[in-house]
Amino acid sequence: MKALLFMETDGEKVLGGSLELISAAKALDAEKTALIVGSRVAADTVAALGVPVIFIDTAVDCDTVTEVLSQMVKEQNPNIVLLSNTVMAKDVAPRIAARIGLGCVSDVIEIKKDDGKVIYTRPAYGGTVLEHIEVEGTAVVTVRSGSFSKPEEGSKAAVTEKKVEIPVGVIKAKIIDKVKEISEAVNLEEAEIIVSGGRGMGNAENFKFVEELANVLGGVVGATRPPIEDGWISRAHQVGQSGKIVTPKLYIACGISGATQHTSGMSGSNYIVAINKDEEAPIFEIADVSIVGNVTEILPVMIQEMKKVKEEAK
């Protein structure tokens, strides 16, 4: 099996979600080739992980990336084309599939082999169910960030630079300005520490304890759907099937009961601490440390103790 990985960059370094594609391909025991456009630094980074890289410096936007990736798919003839589920990928993936006549699966959170067949799992109906999809022939697949681990280092592979001619007629849109959204500053997928709050925090004032603990620990704030719908924090912080799937080293769940829609987005965390007054809360089934009690009384104590530890460490 051959896999072509489109490794998206921010103009210089590879996006974390794209790096996870290496682990996704490894799970299928596929022969991997990465395609990187525009950043030679990023190409060298991926090659250092043991993945052969095709580097092209002529693509900069959705139109040109679609053309370049389409040409590489025809040339490489892979069994699967993997992209991280970014804004660009959501635009590019279906265009490539339609142009070449391939299957397309979006927002995949799991890929596995079953009797020689590749099964793609993705959330549906707002994350309330999971559907398993099989594609006949080559599939273009976007993978949700946080679904796979970051790759380990490997022996250095080669970087092959190629020139691709892009016809003038390919470019349909011209970018004249970019506005950075606040959600881009909330990097849940790559955070090593996440402190999340749920409905059990009670109100917006109490939710500030979650934000303060995250700040003390040098982590990022997460949330379940209720706090977001009540306006305590922006949707960019949502963790779960309808939000971000995360795999931090430490995940602290504050006032979160543990509904499947949320736990499916954070159960891959290395270490989980859960605080809830209900000793039968489902979140305790996956927690490494379970604290039964009033979260608004426990968090101030945790914050104070963490501050003491940090002060002593100076």
Side-chain angles (χ1 to χ4, degrees):
M1 173 176 282
K2 291 177 61 178
L4 179 63
L5 321 178
F6 175 64
M7 312 292 281
E8 194 171 334
T9 76
D10 61 3
E12 184 173 337
K13 66 178 182 178
V14 184
L15 300 181
S18 289
L19 288 174
E20 293 174 19
L21 300 178
I22 297 174
S23 298
K26 185 177 180 181
L28 295 173
D29 195 25
E31 177 187 337
K32 301 175 287 293
T33 301
L35 172 65
I36 294 180
V37 300
S39 172
R40 181 60 195 235
V41 173
D44 291 336
T45 298
V46 173
L49 295 171
V51 180
V53 175
I54 296 173
F55 173 66
I56 298 170
D57 65 357
T58 51
V60 294
D61 53 31
C62 288
D63 288 335
T64 52
V65 167
T66 298
E67 176 65 21
V68 166
L69 192 46
S70 296
Q71 290 190 34
M72 287 302 103
V73 170
K74 292 176 182 177
E75 178 183 299
Q76 297 292 314
N77 193 30
N79 302 98
I80 181 173
V81 183
L82 294 175
L83 305 88
S84 182
N85 198 41
T86 62
V87 173
M88 176 180 281
K90 291 175 183 177
D91 189 345
V92 170
R95 293 169 68 180
I96 295 169
R99 184 177 294 188
I100 308 177
L102 309 177
C104 186
V105 188
S106 62
D107 201 24
V108 167
I109 60 174
E110 183 182 25
I111 304 174
K112 63 181 180 181
K113 279 186 176 179
D114 186 10
D115 290 333
K117 300 176 181 178
V118 179
I119 306 299
Y120 306 99
T121 301
R122 65 184 298 274
Y125 299 106
T128 56
V129 299
L130 295 177
E131 59 179 359
H132 307 292
I133 300 172
E134 179 187 341
V135 176
E136 185 175 339
T138 299
V140 181
V141 180
T142 65
V143 179
R144 187 185 290 195
S145 295
S147 299
F148 293 88
S149 61
K150 299 294 189 300
E152 299 177 356
E153 291 188 8
S155 55
K156 186 174 176 59
V159 176
T160 303
E161 188 167 349
K162 291 193 175 186
K163 299 293 183 182
V164 175
E165 294 295 328
I166 300 177
V168 177
V170 164
I171 303 174
K172 306 295 184 181
K174 180 181 179 182
I175 298 174
I176 58 175
D177 193 15
K178 291 183 179 181
V179 178
K180 187 173 183 179
E181 295 183 7
I182 189 170
S183 61
E184 295 179 43
V186 183
N187 199 345
L188 283 165
E189 296 100 324
E190 297 188 30
E192 294 191 348
I193 298 174
I194 296 176
V195 183
S196 282
R199 189 194 303 274
M201 292 307 301
N203 54 51
E205 189 65 28
N206 290 338
F207 198 86
K208 291 179 181 178
F209 289 130
V210 173
E211 298 171 343
E212 186 175 357
L213 181 58
N215 184 56
V216 170
L217 295 175
V220 177
V221 178
T224 60
R225 180 178 290 180
I228 291 167
E229 292 181 341
D230 289 343
W232 302 350
I233 195 166
S234 75
R235 191 166 296 277
H237 294 265
Q238 186 171 345
V239 174
Q241 285 182 2
S242 52
K244 303 287 180 64
I245 291 180
V246 299
T247 53
K249 291 181 179 178
L250 172 63
Y251 190 92
I252 303 178
C254 310
I256 295 173
S257 62
T260 302
Q261 286 84 352
H262 178 73
T263 57
S264 63
M266 45 68 71
S267 57
S269 305
N270 287 0
Y271 202 83
I272 300 171
V273 176
I275 308 168
N276 199 294
K277 64 181 180 181
D278 179 7
E279 62 182 19
E280 296 184 359
I283 191 72
F284 290 143
E285 296 178 9
I286 62 171
D288 296 286
V289 173
S290 301
I291 303 174
V292 180
N294 190 327
V295 69
T296 58
E297 295 176 358
I298 293 170
L299 284 185
V301 175
M302 289 182 66
I303 291 167
Q304 196 60 37
E305 290 302 313
M306 294 302 171
K307 286 181 177 178
K308 288 181 182 178
V309 171
K310 288 186 70 175
E311 193 62 35
E312 292 172 359
K314 290 182 179 179

